[in-house]
Amino acid sequence: MKNFRYTLFTLLVFAFLGCTREEVEDLPRARFSRNPEIFTDTFIGLGSDFYFPYAGAKPDVFSVDNRVAYKGISSIRIDVPNADDPGGNFAGAIFRIDGAGRDLQDFNALTFYAKASQAATIAEIGFGQDFLGDTYRAYMTNVDFTTQWKKFIIPIPDPSKLLEERGVFQFAAGGIGPVGQEVGYTFWIDELRFEKLGKVAQPLPRIFNGENPTTSSFNGVTIPVTGTNVVFNVDGLDVSVNAAPAYFNFRSSNPSVATVNNLGQISVLSAGTTTVTGTVGGGSNPMNALGSLTVNSAGQFNSAPTPPARNPANVVSIFSDAYQNVQVDNFNGFFQFQTTQGGAINIAGENILSYTQLNFVSINMFQSPDVNASAMTHLHLDVNVREALNPGDFLRVVIINNNGPNETSGSVNLVSYKPLVRDNWVSYDIPISDFAGLGVPNDVDLIFFVSDGTISNIYVDNVYFYR
């Protein structure tokens, strides 16, 4: 009888626990704090360690001003520095909750009152930046402050995403005046909170800034979704909010070619074509975003030939994964009248130079220690033309030494050595002596590629001098 009672008790306990677990699993998910207040006369629930300046910003620009307020007795004060301030030439920081974040699903905007000591344009102001991934960052640019208090409204791109947001405010501002001579000023923020406003309406989401570009790619390449923003109607005016890709839901029309994750990273998987589109909002009626990206993948990337293993003492490398490269300022100088876009990129683990809309482009080494190739005998480079070639198409290489009053230069036309081939790498080894007029290349400052628009789309790799 005793064993029977024990067994019955045990069965009842397990039955009770089983029912309880099912009931617990059916309960709605617990929500984090839904307090919308960030700052009234003091900071609300942010904790003791909430202020994080940007790298390079002056760190001590923030304070609480007990003499100036829109309402109550105090406000947030930001003192934007002069351009020549040794502590930093701009003001910029985030306010991040020290602890659990806020559940902001019930609100549709961050609002605040602001004024400045003089009319000023704030470069960025918003929320969602937390230095922990900035997953749901949203901000406005070029926001005009005046000397009178005014209410500002920054709509939330999709409140349903903000279940535990710690980044509740961000700003970035520089001084006023000519570049390099900007003068500082002060601005104040008050009554900083999240709100639910009826005047925020008609959201229009966009990806790729509402355009529909096409790009060529290869297996293993990751392409970011860019130009993500949402335009709202606020009190009859269009307000554009830059929105992190995570606010959007993305779709690839051909997932076997490329997939898209929730952070807007497009992963190219195989040869073919796909179109990436986006929506904002869940449920049965998501909003389609204007814009798309069509990806044409050629499949496996055809790498440039691997250079021979040369003694490093016999190489002065400008751009190659095979050798130690010299210091280069940039791989696209963006000179006046040039149309060329692009520069150094990585394709499936391969570092290459990619140029589009080519008329001319330069590799710049003005700020480098002297690039001395005087003991070298040849220039090597690999070129891959990414378009159809026509009679008369050419690609000229120009070397400029000691740019300035004592400048010398020389050029060669690659097609006089070997014909260029579409979608194939062609290797060139050109005697430096063929660069007529160059003289001794003891201080190479510039290497130009010039097509005059006859060829507009090329890859370049393994640019180095050797002997």
Side-chain angles (χ1 to χ4, degrees):
M1 186 67 176
K2 180 179 178 181
N3 289 339
F4 172 77
R5 286 198 301 268
Y6 176 81
T7 302
L8 179 60
F9 173 77
T10 302
L11 290 172
L12 289 172
V13 169
F14 276 107
F16 173 78
L17 290 176
C19 292
T20 302
R21 187 171 69 175
E22 289 177 6
E23 291 171 2
V24 169
E25 288 176 348
D26 289 339
L27 290 175
R29 175 181 172 177
R31 296 177 65 174
F32 289 88
S33 171
R34 285 172 273 178
N35 186 349
E37 308 291 337
I38 305 302
F39 180 92
T40 52
D41 279 333
T42 186
F43 286 97
I44 311 298
L46 268 62
S48 60
D49 184 22
F50 63 85
Y51 179 73
F52 296 88
Y54 291 136
K58 188 176 182 183
D60 55 353
V61 301
F62 153 68
S63 62
V64 173
D65 193 327
N66 293 317
R67 295 174 299 175
V68 177
Y70 170 76
K71 183 179 179 181
I73 60 172
S74 61
S75 64
I76 299 168
R77 174 175 174 148
I78 305 297
D79 294 309
V80 180
N82 298 328
D84 60 356
D85 193 311
N89 62 3
F90 79 101
I94 68 168
F95 293 169
R96 185 179 75 196
I97 295 174
D98 182 14
R102 302 281 177 87
D103 184 334
L104 302 174
Q105 297 176 80
D106 299 334
F107 313 105
N108 63 0
L110 175 70
T111 69
F112 57 90
Y113 287 84
K115 74 170 187 173
S117 58
Q118 64 184 94
T121 299
I122 310 303
E124 290 184 4
I125 199 156
F127 61 92
Q129 190 169 28
D130 57 13
F131 295 169
L132 301 171
D134 303 340
T135 304
Y136 294 114
R137 186 183 181 195
Y139 63 98
M140 293 167 54
T141 60
N142 300 321
V143 180
D144 293 328
F145 286 3
T146 69
T147 57
Q148 302 298 314
W149 287 107
K150 176 185 174 182
K151 186 172 184 177
F152 292 86
I153 298 171
I154 303 178
I156 301 176
D158 181 1
S160 70
K161 299 277 189 176
L162 302 184
L163 305 179
E164 188 192 1
E165 183 55 58
R166 294 180 64 192
V168 290
F169 189 61
Q170 65 130 136
F171 66 89
I176 299 172
V179 175
Q181 305 174 42
E182 294 92 343
V183 177
Y185 58 94
T186 297
F187 67 86
W188 294 266
I189 301 286
D190 200 3
E191 301 301 304
L192 179 63
R193 59 170 58 88
F194 291 91
E195 291 190 69
K196 177 72 171 179
L197 301 175
K199 61 180 69 176
V200 175
Q202 301 172 15
L204 176 62
R206 303 188 300 181
I207 63 175
F208 300 102
N209 292 315
E211 299 177 351
N212 301 285
T214 297
T215 188
S216 298
S217 193
F218 300 90
N219 295 356
V221 173
T222 299
I223 305 168
V225 175
T226 59
T228 49
N229 56 76
V230 183
V231 179
F232 293 85
N233 183 284
V234 181
D235 271 347
L237 299 176
D238 285 343
V239 173
S240 180
V241 178
N242 294 295
Y247 281 109
F248 292 73
N249 301 306
F250 299 103
R251 177 181 178 272
S252 170
S253 64
N254 192 344
S256 66
V257 173
T259 57
V260 197
N261 67 14
N262 65 322
L263 299 179
Q265 297 168 333
I266 304 169
S267 298
V268 182
L269 305 175
S270 65
T273 298
T274 189
T275 299
V276 174
T277 55
T279 61
V280 169
S284 59
N285 191 30
M287 294 169 287
N288 292 322
L290 290 178
S292 66
L293 177 69
T294 298
V295 179
N296 294 319
S297 172
Q300 195 67 32
F301 178 64
N302 178 23
S303 302
T306 302
R310 300 181 184 275
N311 186 333
N314 296 329
V315 176
V316 176
S317 182
I318 310 300
F319 182 85
S320 176
D321 288 337
Y323 304 107
Q324 181 67 45
N325 297 319
V326 300
Q327 178 185 324
V328 173
D329 301 338
N330 56 68
F331 294 98
N332 188 340
F334 291 105
F335 280 88
Q336 186 178 15
F337 305 121
Q338 83 163 66
T339 59
T340 310
Q341 301 298 305
I345 65 170
N346 186 284
I347 296 181
E350 297 284 340
N351 294 307
I352 64 168
L353 301 177
S354 174
Y355 297 119
T356 60
Q357 304 178 51
L358 175 68
N359 61 343
F360 66 90
V361 70
S362 67
I363 299 174
N364 294 350
M365 294 164 283
F366 298 118
Q367 305 301 320
S368 306
D370 291 351
V371 178
N372 186 355
S374 59
M376 304 297 113
T377 59
H378 289 74
L379 172 69
H380 176 92
L381 52 91
D382 298 309
V383 178
N384 187 333
V385 177
R386 304 291 301 161
E387 62 184 45
L389 286 154
N390 299 306
D393 286 356
F394 68 90
L395 186 63
R396 192 164 63 247
V397 180
V398 183
I399 299 175
I400 294 179
N401 193 72
N402 195 11
N403 179 251
N406 300 317
E407 173 183 304
T408 61
S409 64
S411 68
V412 298
N413 189 341
L414 293 183
V415 297
S416 65
Y417 294 86
K418 293 181 187 178
L420 295 160
V421 181
R422 179 180 183 177
D423 294 329
N424 279 282
W425 291 98
V426 180
S427 297
Y428 294 90
D429 292 276
I430 305 164
I432 293 177
S433 58
D434 286 3
F435 289 85
L438 176 62
V440 178
N442 60 354
D443 181 15
V444 178
D445 286 329
L446 292 157
I447 299 176
F448 277 93
F449 299 101
V450 182
S451 74
D452 289 345
T454 61
I455 297 170
S456 63
N457 191 351
I458 65 171
Y459 293 151
V460 179
D461 200 357
N462 299 316
V463 182
Y464 59 86
F465 297 96
Y466 71 94
R467 66 182 176 192

